[in-house]
Amino acid sequence: MTSAAPPPPAPPAPDRTPGGSGGTGDPLATGGLALGGTLMVVYGLFAVLQGITAIADDEVYTSFGEYVFEFDLTAWGWIHLIVGVLVVAAGFGLFTGAAWARVVGAVVVGLALIANFMWLPYQPFWSIIMILTGLFVLWSVFNYRSTRSA
């Protein structure tokens, strides 16, 4: 009488979520969180460069008309610089899958959306691109669901 060995256990499914958090939400949102973090880092670096340019030389940007929310370009430069640094930090935090990074990321991207809306008179096409990018980042942050046990 021969006894058959039991089959080996199946290997665990690969964890494909950012930071290994085991998210079970929409796969598009899970991939979107990684893409959102990448976009946040890239956006933040561009915002930092945009802010440095506005601070260093007010002659780079021009305005078309008078607007209610008009600021000095140096002030806009500091706004973009500070928001850009915060967005980069939150973007790197998203790669770890930390809950704080999603909350902070949503807040700073919301601030970036407002800043880019108000920046429309100076750089209309770039502002529209950044607004659309920010909306995608917010969508991916809000649609991600983690299965980590609390």
Side-chain angles (χ1 to χ4, degrees), residues 2 11 17 21 29 33 53 59 64-65 74 78 91 117 122-123 134 144:
T2 60
T17 58
S21 61
L33 190 64
T53 303
E59 303 298 319
F64 302 101
T74 304
W78 282 107
F117 175 75
Y122 300 99
Q123 292 289 317
Y144 177 76

Side-chain angles (χ1 to χ4, degrees), residues 52-65:
I52 290 171
T53 303
I55 292 168
D57 189 12
D58 285 353
E59 303 298 319
V60 174
Y61 298 112
T62 60
S63 178
F64 302 101

Side-chain angles (χ1 to χ4, degrees), residues 116-130:
N116 278 299
F117 175 75
M118 295 174 71
W119 185 250
L120 276 168
Y122 300 99
Q123 292 289 317
F125 296 116
W126 182 251
S127 293
I128 290 170
I129 289 169
M130 296 316 298

Side-chain angles (χ1 to χ4, degrees), residues 64-85:
F64 302 101
E66 297 292 323
Y67 294 92
V68 174
F69 46 81
E70 184 176 346
F71 289 128
D72 178 56
L73 282 175
T74 304
W76 275 118
W78 282 107
I79 290 169
H80 282 286
L81 182 68
I82 292 168
V83 169
V85 168

Side-chain angles (χ1 to χ4, degrees), residues 15 17-26 30 33 96-99 102 141-150:
D15 189 6
T17 58
S21 61
T24 60
D26 182 7
T30 302
L33 190 64
T96 66
R102 291 192 302 273
V141 166
F142 287 132
N143 282 317
Y144 177 76
R145 300 290 181 260
S146 176
T147 59
R148 283 187 186 179
S149 57

